[in-house]
Amino acid sequence: MSASHKFSYRVNFVKPSPIRTLVSKISAISATRKVISFAAGEPDPNVIPRDLYSTILGKVLHEETKSCNYSPTEGLPSLRRSIADFMWRYEGVKTSEDNVLVTVGGSQAIDLLGKLFIDPGDHVILENPSYVNTIVDWEFYGARLVGVGVDGEGVDTQGLEAVVKRLLSEGRKVKLVYTIPTGHNPAGIVMSEERRKHLVEIASRYDLLVVEDAAYNHLVYEGSYKPLSHYDKEGRVVYVGSFSKVLGTGLRIGWLSASSEIVEFVKAIKGPSDMCAPVPMQLLVDRVLREGLYDQIKRRAVQEYARKRDTMMSALDEYVQGAVYNRPRGGMFILLKLPARVDSEVFADVLLEKYGVAVVPAKPFYLDDSGRSSIRLNFTMVEMDEIEDGIKKLGLLVRELS
């Protein structure tokens, strides 16, 4: 029998993640021939210190009698204390373990905040482009997403304020502003300090909450930046953190830091769905933090990814004409704008089928049609010796289709 007539109204908002769909396609082709992939959004598996983790996990499983049992829904107290210390040391944000809730990666934190705050028809303001899985997730809850453009200094906060004023004057309910201020996915930009302060001021002036996606805060190659939470004196910024991009995506340990009121409600929502984040992974990350190992892991990651970024930038400069791209100061991505006549989805299909090079069409990251000719390139997971060859083939196809 078909169960479709019993589905909830929310199925009208269901969309598969374009990235996961593409990954499945790349995986199928990789089984039969060599693919150079710039499509990932992950750290290099050879940079992740797996031997170190193996040693720590062996100790954890031997020494911690409850390492294979549930933890509190909000996370192990020791890990929450370690995260609070981490935020003070690395971010200049003073918080306590009571304001920290451990999640299954940053993605679960974003989903839980959607459940808590978004009613169908609520307006949510995002950067345009923005992280595609947040777009898909929050549309599922019925959010009306409004995009504000970005440039080399981050989101256009003057434009954002104008959008807020317009929506409020029309009687619209604006619940949240979502931003990725450091190492933006997919744009690779870092928001300036001036705009960070202005965004927090806007939130205060118009009674808004800001969700700060800090997934890439610790992959910074040039300069140093304080998170929005550092400038927040009213509890308007909800910080969504993740250890995935430095320690490893498969660990699935993220967190959110927010007011006690928000944390308590998120905990109540989270409990029935997952009970807790994986306990062995919580214990692993806690030991990495408490034993002072994070610095060396981060240092190696930043060094390796900066080298890969520079190699990709040099290859783009040499082999790709007629396209516009940025030099990312943080994160994992370069956003490349192809000539306007080129459709990025067609380009990505041809590049994969003809040349065995995988990229991500950036159109799903946009809330309008302005990204139809843009692609996202990842420089962290690809092998160093494959970067030049892959970019050379990409440049060849740009010339063919221009």
Side-chain angles (χ1 to χ4, degrees):
M1 61 163 280
S2 171
S4 60
H5 64 290
K6 297 185 181 295
F7 291 161
S8 81
Y9 74 92
R10 284 185 295 275
V11 299
N12 295 303
F13 303 117
V14 170
K15 295 179 183 177
S17 167
I19 295 178
R20 303 320 301 174
T21 301
L22 178 62
V23 167
S24 297
K25 181 177 180 179
I26 294 169
S27 178
I29 292 178
S30 299
T32 60
R33 61 190 177 99
K34 174 70 176 176
V35 172
I36 297 174
S37 180
F38 301 133
E42 296 200 66
D44 185 339
N46 295 312
V47 173
I48 297 169
R50 301 189 309 277
D51 289 343
L52 174 64
Y53 294 171
S54 177
T55 300
I56 294 173
L57 277 174
K59 292 179 180 179
V60 161
L61 294 171
H62 177 70
E63 298 170 3
E64 301 282 352
T65 58
K66 293 185 177 180
S67 59
C68 295
N69 291 82
Y70 292 133
S71 78
T73 294
E74 63 272 27
L76 291 166
S78 60
L79 176 56
R80 288 160 52 222
R81 285 193 294 272
S82 293
I83 290 173
D85 292 342
F86 176 90
M87 291 189 67
W88 174 245
R89 178 178 178 183
Y90 290 97
E91 302 279 42
V93 174
K94 194 167 185 61
T95 188
S96 73
E97 64 180 279
D98 293 334
N99 298 107
V100 171
L101 182 140
V102 178
T103 58
V104 183
S107 56
Q108 187 189 36
I110 291 168
D111 179 68
L112 290 167
L113 292 170
K115 286 182 179 178
L116 178 61
F117 286 112
I118 297 172
D119 291 317
D122 285 346
H123 286 72
V124 175
I125 298 174
L126 297 82
E127 292 145 333
N128 191 37
S130 188
Y131 178 45
V132 65
N133 284 352
T134 298
I135 292 173
V136 170
D137 189 76
W138 285 1
E139 283 183 337
F140 178 72
Y141 295 118
R144 295 185 177 181
L145 306 181
V146 181
V148 176
V150 300
D151 58 26
E153 299 298 312
V155 66
D156 173 9
T157 50
Q158 296 289 348
L160 189 150
E161 184 169 16
V163 167
V164 172
K165 290 170 70 173
R166 175 179 61 81
L167 290 172
L168 293 178
S169 71
E170 295 171 354
R172 311 295 186 183
K173 188 180 291 186
V174 182
K175 283 282 184 73
L176 302 170
V177 176
Y178 171 80
T179 179
I180 314 167
T182 302
H184 187 281
N185 180 6
I189 52 179
V190 174
M191 190 186 298
S192 67
E193 182 180 31
E194 180 182 357
R195 291 194 184 176
R196 290 172 192 246
K197 291 178 179 178
H198 189 206
L199 181 52
V200 173
E201 291 169 4
I202 292 170
S204 177
R205 187 176 303 134
Y206 298 99
D207 190 25
L208 305 174
L209 283 173
V210 178
V211 176
E212 176 179 18
D213 189 338
Y216 305 94
N217 277 26
H218 301 282
L219 288 181
V220 174
Y221 313 115
E222 297 166 8
S224 61
Y225 309 91
K226 296 294 185 185
L228 297 177
S229 305
H230 175 78
Y231 306 103
D232 176 29
K233 308 304 179 186
E234 300 176 354
R236 294 188 176 278
V237 178
V238 179
Y239 180 107
V240 174
S242 173
F243 291 110
S244 291
K245 304 307 185 288
V246 173
L247 299 185
T249 49
L251 302 184
R252 308 311 302 136
I253 298 297
W255 75 96
L256 63 80
S257 176
S259 67
S260 298
E261 177 187 31
I262 291 174
V263 167
E264 286 302 309
F265 273 102
V266 171
K267 181 171 69 173
I269 296 168
K270 179 178 183 290
S273 64
D274 78 340
M275 301 298 288
C276 62
V279 175
M281 296 300 103
Q282 291 190 60
L283 290 165
L284 168 64
V285 172
D286 188 32
R287 292 206 178 191
V288 166
L289 297 178
R290 286 193 290 112
E291 295 176 12
L293 302 172
Y294 183 81
D295 279 341
Q296 68 186 56
I297 298 171
K298 173 186 169 181
R299 189 180 307 114
R300 184 185 177 204
V302 169
Q303 289 172 348
E304 289 296 315
Y305 302 154
R307 287 198 311 120
K308 289 186 175 185
R309 177 202 62 171
D310 293 345
T311 299
M312 183 172 285
M313 293 300 304
S314 296
L316 287 168
D317 291 342
E318 182 171 357
Y319 297 114
V320 181
Q321 285 79 45
V324 178
Y325 44 88
N326 60 307
R327 177 184 175 85
R329 287 174 284 170
M332 295 180 163
F333 307 108
I334 295 171
L335 186 66
L336 187 145
K337 297 184 179 180
L338 300 164
R341 68 180 68 86
V342 179
D343 183 286
S344 63
E345 293 179 345
V346 173
F347 182 90
D349 282 342
V350 175
L351 188 64
L352 181 59
E353 297 288 347
K354 185 174 181 179
Y355 290 109
V357 177
V359 299
V360 172
K363 183 176 179 181
F365 294 80
Y366 286 80
L367 297 171
D368 55 22
D369 197 45
S370 60
R372 68 174 297 275
S373 296
S374 296
I375 58 174
R376 190 192 75 175
L377 304 175
N378 167 266
F379 53 83
T380 57
M381 195 169 178
V382 63
E383 296 288 343
M384 177 69 82
D385 60 6
E386 294 179 340
I387 293 175
E388 183 175 4
D389 184 36
I391 295 299
K392 190 173 183 178
K393 290 174 178 176
L394 186 152
L396 182 61
L397 185 60
V398 170
R399 292 194 296 274
E400 290 175 10
L401 297 181
S402 297

